Amino acid sequence: MSTILEKIAAIESEMARTQKNKATAGHLGLLKARLAKLRRELISPKGGGGAGEQGFEVAKTGDSRVGFVGFPSVGKSTLLSNLAGVYSEVAAYEFTTLTTVPGCIKYKGAKIQLLDLPGIIEGAKDGKGRGRQVIAVARTCNLIFMVLDVLKPLHHKKLLEHELEGFGIRLNKQPPNIHFRKKDKGGINLNATVAQTELDLDTVKTILSEYKIHNADITLRYDANSDDLIDVIEGNRIYIPCIYLLNKIDQISIEELDVIYKIPHCVPISAHHRWNFDDLLELMWEYLRLIRIYTKPKGQLPDYSSPVVLHCERTSVEDFCNKLHRSIAKEFKYALVWGSSVKHQPQKVGIDHILNDEDVVQIVKKI
């Protein structure tokens, strides 16, 4: 492991020494590609995980999962206990090996699992201790809460983002709009739909040669950089929305609070005094992009107490059926829908119909 760390340190120091200009773009691209490969090796060694590395994953419960990231003493534990309350679920999980406690909250009818990830910082990026296993849990989260001390937020934010970036977690970013396809022959074919400031054919060839790729079609649909191209080639990047929680706002002035509110993806809170939890939960709901569908048994009123929660990218009647039970889609005849996704109340729809938030659905099965 130390040899990989030494190689990473050597490449990082060489990158720091190299001036950034057009002449060095190819060399820097090559160094970044080597760095990405070494980081991948650090996360998942070629030999695979040993038997001693089992048991770090927490059972995924509820409709969505939110991971807490932050340095010690920023108030993660206080936030977790004040958000999740002192439910029996908090103590029911045996997760002491990671010195973290999962909690569960119910918001707008959806069950959200909250997960504190302390080990993500303590040498995780260097592969120390349980770093890899903790990161594996972080990569399964639907949303990251980055808890920062409001008195020193930017310094901590940079360190944490650098830590997560090193493990292929991209916060508040979309996957690069780059088409990449390997082929058997024909060399490197590079197309760009907009002018490129960093990537040219030579730089692209240099990066690809590090991956031993000599034949590929690449289309750049925006002004991309070498990091974007490497992300696409690696293909193991996770894109997770992130909310920055600036904690301990009871220690700052109203004027400073006004400035903080203008920072994107930020929510100022006080975990100790439970200040601004409403804004936080509302933004959490927006970033998780969940929708609620209510069921209506035949001849009865809709059940508004326990909605079926779907992610906004999978909201067809078929997705709804599968969430209830896999067998329902096979017996499906049609559905009656009340709500904003239909023109008539109710309207008969097929299995491909796309549902909206708070629609009411009655499934009619084949006899």
Side-chain angles (χ1 to χ4, degrees), residues 102-129:
C104 191
I105 59 168
K106 201 164 185 182
Y107 187 67
K108 294 192 177 183
K111 284 180 184 169
I112 315 291
Q113 187 182 33
L114 304 176
L115 201 58
D116 192 356
L117 301 168
I120 206 168
I121 300 310
E122 296 154 15
K125 190 156 137 291
D126 302 329
K128 286 180 189 171

